[in-house]
Structures are given as C-alpha cells and as structure tokens.
Amino acid sequence: MSASTSVVKTRFAPSPTGYLHIGGARTALFSWAYARRHGGRFVLRIEDTDIARSTPDAVRAIFEGMRWLRLDPDEGPYFQTQRLWRYKEVIQQMLAAGTAYYCYMSKEELDALRAEQEARKEKPRYDGRWRPEPGKTLPTPPSGVQPVVRFKNPKTGKVGWQDLVKGWIEFDNAELDDFVIARADGTPTYNFCVVVDDWDMGITHVIRGDDHVNNTPRQINLLRALGAPVPAYGHLSMILGPDGAKLSKRHGAVSVMQYEEDGYLPEAVLNYLARLGWSHGDDEIFSMEQFVAWFDLDHITASAAQFNTEKLLWLNAHYLKQCDDERLAHEIRRRLAREGVIDTARPDAARIAALYKERVKTLNELADAAHPFYVPPHPSPELKAQHLTAEALAALNDLAQRLQCIEASEFSPEAVSAALKATLAARGLKMPQLAIPLRVVLLGQPQSPAIDRIVAVLGKEETLRRIETAGQ
Ligand code: GLU
C-alpha cells in the first residue's frame, strides 16, 4: 500500500450485502476507466465491517461480476475487517491529538435529548456535552459505561468541494454534529473506515454514487483533522428505471450476473453502462479501449440516467454479430449444458452460430436456435397436419433419396441445394412447398435461415434419420 499521491488512484468500495448491481457496476467501470485513462491504479476494497449484513456469498458475487466485466483491480481486494487494527490505531492517535474524544452518553440520555429536540421542532443532534473545549469542565465519566469515540467536527465555517460531476457543493459545519467514529464496543464506524482507507491507500479520486454526498463533508473534515490529503470527489447520479422510478428488480434484472444468465455479452453491458450518464458526442458503440481513451468526468450528466432495456438489447445484438463463432459455440454449449443437453459434439456449434448470429439478440436465443440441432424436435400435431401432407412427405422421400447419393464428405450447401432443386423439378413444386415441410421435420418450426445451409450443418446422417421418421 502506498500513500503516494503522484499517481491517479481510484477505488471501488462495495459493501458485500448483495450481488453486484447495475449501479455498482457502473461506479466500478467509471472508477476503473478513470484510472486507466490517467495511467493510474484501480483499487478494489470490500467494506465488510457491517458484520450483520455482509456475507461471503456477496463477496463472491461481487468478484464474479467484476471478473465477468473484466474490471480487474490493480490492487486489492482489501477487506476492511482485516484492517481493524489500523482503525484502532488511528482512533488512539486522534484521541491523543484531541481531534476525537470519549462520549459517555447512554442510549437513554440520547433518546431523551432527541425527544426534547423534537418537541422543540429542532433537528435531532448531539449537543456536545462531552466535547472538550478550552475552559470547559467536562462531567465526571460515569462508572461502568463504555464510551463511544466522537469526532471533534469544526463548529463553524463551511466545508465544500468542487465535485467533479456536480460542481461546487458545500455544507455548514454547524449542520454536521460530532459523529461517532468508534462504537462502545470499539468497532469503527463506516465514515471513519472509508477515510482511513482512502488515506492509507493513496486514493486521489473518489468516484461513487450520489447517495454518498452527505458523507463527503464529514469525510473531508476527518481527513483534514488527520492531516491527510483530501481526494477529489465525483458523485454519480443514480440510475432510474424506464418509468423514472429508482432502478429496482421490478424493472427486470438488476444483478450484473443476471445479465450473463439472460444471454448478454459483457462487452454489450459495458458499452451500455459507459453510456449511462456519460457521453462522447453521438457515439453509441465503442470498445473499452476507445472508452478509456475518451473517458473524462466532464461529460457525465449531473441528472439521473434512465435505464433502457431496448437499447441494451440492441447493443447486445450488435456485439453478437461481431462475435467470433468459436466463442459463440462455447456459449451455446455452456447454455445447452445448463438445460441438460449433454451431447453437443456434433454438429459443430460454431457453424450453427454463424447461421444464427445475425438473427438473434441474446445468447439464450442463440442457444434456443441451436437446441433442435442436438435434440430432435417434436413438431406439434397442428404443424404436422398443416405442413406434412401426403404430397409433402412424398417430396421429402424423394429428396432423401437424392441426398443419400451425396458423399458425406461432399455434403455442402451447394450439393444440398442441387438436390433440393432436382426434387422441385421432378415434383413440379415451388421451393416453399418443400423447404417448409423440411424445416418442420428437421427443426420443428416452419422458419429458419437458408435451408440448404441448415441441412449441410445438420449433416447427412441426421437429416436422413429425421426425414425417415417424419411420417410417423
Ligand atoms: N461501501 C459503500 C457502498 O457500498 C461505498 C463507499 C464509498 O464509495 O465511499 O455504498
């Protein structure tokens, strides 16, 4: 860990209380990109001091989501629970320096104070009764009460910062009370740990959600009291659902890994997140290299960004088309395995991917399209009645005989096409009169990409087997 401030250092500091959600992923992406853009370092820090709410599963889910998005940290993961010794050390230093003090107020006293303030229609706040001041006599510490430690926040003046996203923000110190930095059991509190970590880790730019704006003045005052450098802060506006309400499960997937499960490519999700509140002219589609080269905090909108599933789907379709067939083949096999399709050795999934990738929007749609290539379909009785007429079955048998004559090694779309045309000519049929029944027999549906290519990919043996059983 280095306290050097010469290099840009950002961090993503999730609390492991759930999966990595879309908002968190965008914060991570922007922090990562900012560090990359400036040749800096990106730190991952797990803020797990809230033992009751933090879980190892959530830690794993965060790592998994970040790995999937390839947002690899240069440093960390650090765990706050492994740094408790350090927080205790700094608390002792602050007590010794007089920038923090013990407060012996009991819960009952605090409740009574709050009730009085509320009765007077005042904002509930600590009244500073244990705050040491020159010339002030403090009460005698009661026996048997474990004190909390409070930060001696400046009483007057203002604390402000030039927010990298929202512009100048300031608070009156009088609005901030002497908040607790260590509880009676000695455990440090949230704002305190963040400050010690940002200091120790040499964080220069804190990019985080704007739900933290109210913590920032407290953190800045703490940093100043410690004589630590104050990082720059940029608070990202929240992400709203398509209906304008705060993004939630109700709007569909909010966990990053749910998008993986739903058949999205990480590059589509990243590209989508990059545009969620940030822009580079009218550019919609760009790689992460391009994003890193362009990224700055000046083009982040201060207003909330609205989630748009249609646009994400559009980007996903774009990246699917660009995607390497072998990679798609791997995704097809993985997804079919999830559905219990074990044997995907043949036909070659990469050829299926090439056939369908222009037509689908998700990997799941691609896997669905590939399914009948591995598991013979069962067309519905309606489809059969409609398309597998006696005439169609006779034409299919005719076609089968012609396909039989093609050497397996020469079973190409061209050879199949020639057999199809010969059958049409012999039977006086038009292409749909043969191609549609053939699709129903081979894939269980009347539509598909070019039928000669479908037949070639399915292979001679399997095509003949399916035609043979068609009338049954
Ligand atoms: N742990 C905080 C959260 O998950 C973030 C703290 C920060 O970025 O300063 O919301």
Side-chain angles (χ1 to χ4, degrees):
M1 218 180 278
S2 137
S4 152
T5 51
S6 55
V7 76
V8 164
K9 233 172 160 189
T10 61
R11 84 307 196 270
F12 177 49
S15 304
T17 54
Y19 42 70
L20 177 62
H21 56 83
I22 283 292
R26 184 189 57 160
T27 301
L29 171 64
F30 285 11
S31 301
W32 172 89
Y34 194 80
R36 286 281 170 287
R37 169 83 176 87
H38 296 279
R41 295 171 74 73
F42 171 59
V43 175
L44 175 59
R45 179 168 84 218
I46 303 297
E47 304 206 321
D48 55 351
T49 51
D50 186 347
I51 309 279
R53 294 178 62 226
S54 302
T55 67
D57 277 350
V59 173
R60 270 191 294 277
I62 290 165
F63 290 168
E64 194 187 15
M66 298 215 25
R67 211 174 306 123
W68 185 62
L69 293 173
R70 296 175 209 143
L71 298 176
D72 299 327
D74 302 301
E75 249 179 61
Y78 296 113
F79 289 82
Q80 288 189 326
T81 46
Q82 289 171 11
R83 289 177 41 76
L84 294 172
W85 62 272
R86 175 63 179 148
Y87 309 132
K88 290 204 170 119
E89 183 178 83
V90 178
I91 284 168
Q92 287 311 317
Q93 285 166 5
M94 291 182 73
L95 285 167
T99 50
Y101 61 92
Y102 287 120
C103 167
Y104 293 85
M105 233 172 140
S106 64
K107 186 172 176 313
E108 292 70 33
E109 285 174 299
L110 275 169
D111 288 346
L113 174 64
R114 169 180 285 262
E116 280 170 32
Q117 289 169 332
E118 279 172 357
R120 287 199 299 267
K121 303 231 178 315
E122 286 170 19
K123 199 171 146 200
R125 62 204 322 274
Y126 176 64
D127 63 1
R129 68 180 73 168
W130 288 91
R131 177 181 168 115
E133 302 282 8
K136 172 175 168 187
T137 314
L138 293 176
T140 311
S143 60
V145 177
Q146 278 299 321
V148 299
V149 178
R150 288 188 185 270
F151 171 54
K152 203 173 172 195
N153 194 73
K155 271 180 142 170
T156 56
K158 290 179 189 298
V159 51
W161 71 98
Q162 186 63 32
D163 196 273
L164 299 170
V165 176
K166 295 177 184 285
W168 181 254
I169 301 180
E170 68 178 13
F171 288 76
D172 280 329
N173 276 323
E175 291 294 312
L176 315 166
D177 53 7
D178 286 357
F179 55 97
V180 173
I181 56 176
R183 300 181 189 92
D185 64 4
T187 55
T189 57
Y190 167 74
N191 275 313
F192 182 73
C193 300
V194 169
V195 158
V196 174
D197 287 352
D198 284 343
W199 178 29
D200 283 355
M201 294 169 196
I203 302 302
T204 59
H205 293 76
V206 171
I207 299 168
R208 61 184 172 196
D210 67 3
D211 45 334
H212 289 285
V213 164
N214 285 330
N215 290 324
T216 305
R218 295 180 169 84
Q219 295 182 5
I220 292 176
N221 281 340
L222 259 176
L223 286 160
R224 287 189 179 141
L226 288 166
V230 177
Y233 293 90
H235 290 92
L236 307 173
S237 302
M238 63 163 112
I239 301 173
L240 302 179
D243 58 357
K246 193 167 184 253
L247 189 67
S248 72
K249 273 194 185 149
R250 175 160 72 73
H251 300 110
V254 282
S255 152
V256 164
M257 291 315 285
Q258 185 64 47
Y259 285 97
E260 190 276 336
E261 223 167 275
D262 291 350
Y264 289 85
L265 289 166
E267 50 268 53
V269 174
L270 282 167
N271 190 157
Y272 181 72
L273 289 177
R275 280 286 288 109
L276 210 48
W278 174 86
S279 59
H280 182 267
D282 291 334
D283 292 305
E284 290 291 354
I285 296 179
F286 42 81
S287 65
M288 278 303 105
E289 290 73 39
Q290 193 64 77
F291 177 53
V292 165
W294 286 337
F295 185 64
D296 59 11
L297 296 168
D298 304 336
H299 291 88
I300 294 186
T301 50
S303 53
Q306 209 148 3
F307 200 84
N308 178 341
T309 311
E310 281 308 308
K311 192 167 155 195
L312 174 57
L313 213 48
W314 170 76
L315 278 168
N316 204 49
H318 165 83
Y319 283 103
L320 273 171
K321 285 192 189 81
Q322 311 266 307
C323 199
D324 178 68
D325 293 342
E326 285 302 334
R327 180 173 160 207
L328 293 176
H330 170 74
E331 290 292 340
I332 289 175
R333 287 192 291 265
R334 219 159 59 85
R335 277 157 215 278
L336 290 182
R338 274 186 205 165
E339 287 173 35
V341 180
I342 309 296
D343 186 6
T344 47
R346 277 182 346 142
D348 179 1
R351 292 179 71 191
I352 303 175
L355 273 177
Y356 283 92
K357 70 180 181 182
E358 302 272 341
R359 307 175 143 234
V360 293
K361 289 202 166 83
T362 68
L363 292 167
N364 290 5
E365 283 177 26
L366 186 62
D368 286 347
H371 193 273
F373 285 82
Y374 300 99
V375 181
H378 296 287
S380 66
E382 294 75 32
L383 264 186
K384 278 176 144 177
Q386 190 184 349
H387 299 290
L388 303 187
T389 58
E391 188 189 31
L393 287 171
L396 287 173
N397 274 327
D398 188 337
L399 173 69
Q401 282 167 29
R402 292 171 207 275
L403 294 175
Q404 186 72 60
C405 299
I406 307 172
E407 286 292 321
S409 61
E410 283 161 19
F411 204 73
S412 63
E414 295 72 27
V416 170
S417 177
L420 283 164
K421 284 184 186 139
T423 309
L424 297 181
R427 302 242 145 209
L429 297 173
K430 296 224 174 341
M431 188 54 114
Q433 293 171 293
L434 180 58
I436 293 176
L438 186 55
R439 288 187 171 108
V440 169
V441 165
L442 299 183
L443 302 176
Q445 59 210 20
Q447 280 116 27
S448 79
I451 188 66
D452 47 356
R453 294 179 67 197
I454 297 285
V455 172
V457 169
L458 194 58
K460 178 174 172 179
E461 210 180 305
E462 188 60 23
T463 300
L464 291 177
R465 188 177 308 134
R466 292 187 189 187
I467 293 178
E468 200 175 307
T469 53
Q472 293 163 11

